[in-house]
Amino acid sequence: MTRVQGKRGIGDPGRRERLVDTALSIMLTKGVQGVSHRAVAVEANVPLGSTTYYFRDLDALLMASIERL
């Protein structure tokens, strides 16, 4: 399976917000248990390290998603 990488760094200023939106989308369709750093990265089409760069742990990502909701 080949995955196309999204934009990186400065070329992708909305990445954090996209990660939050993606986590929220997964949460609403699969429940909280469906949200993982890997699932969010794949769905948002970003490198896995981006999730831990912007969110120190899964709880921080989940909280940002809930706050967005």
Side-chain angles (χ1 to χ4, degrees), residues 3-7 12 15 18-19 22 39-48:
R3 188 170 70 106
V4 176
Q5 291 291 330
K7 293 180 182 178
D12 189 9
R15 182 174 288 186
R18 194 165 72 250
L19 291 170
T22 300
V40 171
V42 167
E43 190 70 27
N45 195 28
V46 299
L48 179 58

Side-chain angles (χ1 to χ4, degrees), residues 3 13 16 28 34-35 39 42 51 53-55 58 60-61 69:
R3 188 170 70 106
R16 184 185 189 286
L28 293 173
V35 180
V42 167
T51 61
Y53 177 82
Y54 290 104
F55 303 97
L58 191 56
L61 177 56
L69 182 61

Side-chain angles (χ1 to χ4, degrees), residues 28-44:
L28 293 173
T29 58
K30 298 181 180 179
V32 173
Q33 67 277 5
V35 180
S36 68
H37 284 287
R38 186 171 306 279
V40 171
V42 167
E43 190 70 27

